[in-house]
Amino acid sequence: MKFLCIAATALATAQAFTTSPAAFTTAPTAPALNNVFTDAGAAHRTRRATIVMDGKANAIRDRITTVNNTKKITSAMKLVAAAKVRRAQDSVMATRPFSETLQAVFGGLIQRLGGEAADLPLLTQREVNKVTIVVITGDRGLCGGYNSFMIKKAEARIAELKGQGIESDLILIGKKGASYFKR
């Protein structure tokens, strides 16, 4: 091992003191002098800075890696949450034909029964005095846009009903909505 170190040192020393013209050859000087000011920004663009704070560069790199991994996990969780919301919306939309059919059946019953429909409480038409609004929000984070959207929609509906002179009650599902409407 010592022999290799000595040989490498001797070789480096011999190359430093060589007299061959190839050892002293450099890049052509004229174009380099002309490009000194035009390519000044190129050196800065290709240079990579290393941030060292108290010799903890590895800790900083690890922290950056951890933050990037957390970003990836969060974005994946957002995609999963969006898919779940989309699936829930699709299932709600799938119940619309059922409710429309139910309304048609009740409408047909009212027409067939004529004056006898007043005896059935489900088939009587009444003036709306009070409405119950169900607001479903999340309990924790990762759905801030959804929570704020639902709260804004609920507030808009409450204001609309107040404008019509109709009283409204709220049923709140989820901590975010409950904490907002408690204020």
Side-chain angles (χ1 to χ4, degrees), residues 76-176:
M77 291 174 76
K78 283 181 183 178
L79 291 174
V80 170
K84 285 183 179 180
V85 168
R86 200 173 307 114
R87 202 174 312 128
Q89 286 174 340
D90 291 343
S91 65
V92 167
M93 295 298 283
T95 62
R96 273 199 179 160
F98 172 74
S99 63
E100 290 171 357
T101 306
L102 190 62
Q103 281 181 335
V105 168
F106 277 139
L109 280 174
I110 290 172
Q111 287 178 353
R112 287 186 184 166
L113 294 175
E116 300 171 14
D119 297 341
L120 301 172
L122 284 177
L123 300 179
T124 58
Q125 290 185 352
R126 302 180 292 274
E127 184 181 331
V128 177
N129 295 328
K130 192 172 192 178
V131 173
T132 301
I133 300 173
V134 179
V135 180
I136 302 173
T137 58
D139 288 334
R140 288 180 269 139
L142 293 178
C143 56
Y146 169 74
N147 289 334
S148 62
F149 177 76
M150 291 306 294
I151 289 169
K152 285 179 187 175
K153 282 295 225 185
E155 284 181 332
R157 183 67 177 148
I158 291 168
E160 179 184 333
L161 291 171
K162 257 186 199 172
Q164 295 174 0
I166 298 173
E167 187 182 339
S168 62
D169 278 344
L170 288 175
I171 295 177
L172 303 170
I173 300 172
K175 291 179 185 175
K176 298 293 183 178

Side-chain angles (χ1 to χ4, degrees), residues 11-27:
L11 183 63
T13 307
Q15 285 179 349
F17 292 108
T18 186
T19 58
S20 70
F24 298 105
T25 305
T26 59

Side-chain angles (χ1 to χ4, degrees), residues 39-51:
D39 291 338
H44 292 289
R45 281 192 300 270
T46 58
R47 186 183 303 160
R48 297 194 66 180
T50 304
I51 301 169

Side-chain angles (χ1 to χ4, degrees), residues 10-75:
L11 183 63
T13 307
Q15 285 179 349
F17 292 108
T18 186
T19 58
S20 70
F24 298 105
T25 305
T26 59
T29 56
L33 289 176
N34 290 339
N35 293 333
V36 168
F37 296 109
T38 58
D39 291 338
H44 292 289
R45 281 192 300 270
T46 58
R47 186 183 303 160
R48 297 194 66 180
T50 304
I51 301 169
V52 179
M53 300 172 75
D54 297 332
K56 298 180 182 177
N58 288 337
I60 292 171
R61 274 191 222 105
D62 290 344
R63 178 69 176 147
I64 291 170
T65 304
T66 304
V67 169
N68 287 335
N69 289 341
T70 305
K71 273 189 205 175
K72 290 176 187 176
I73 291 169
T74 305
S75 65

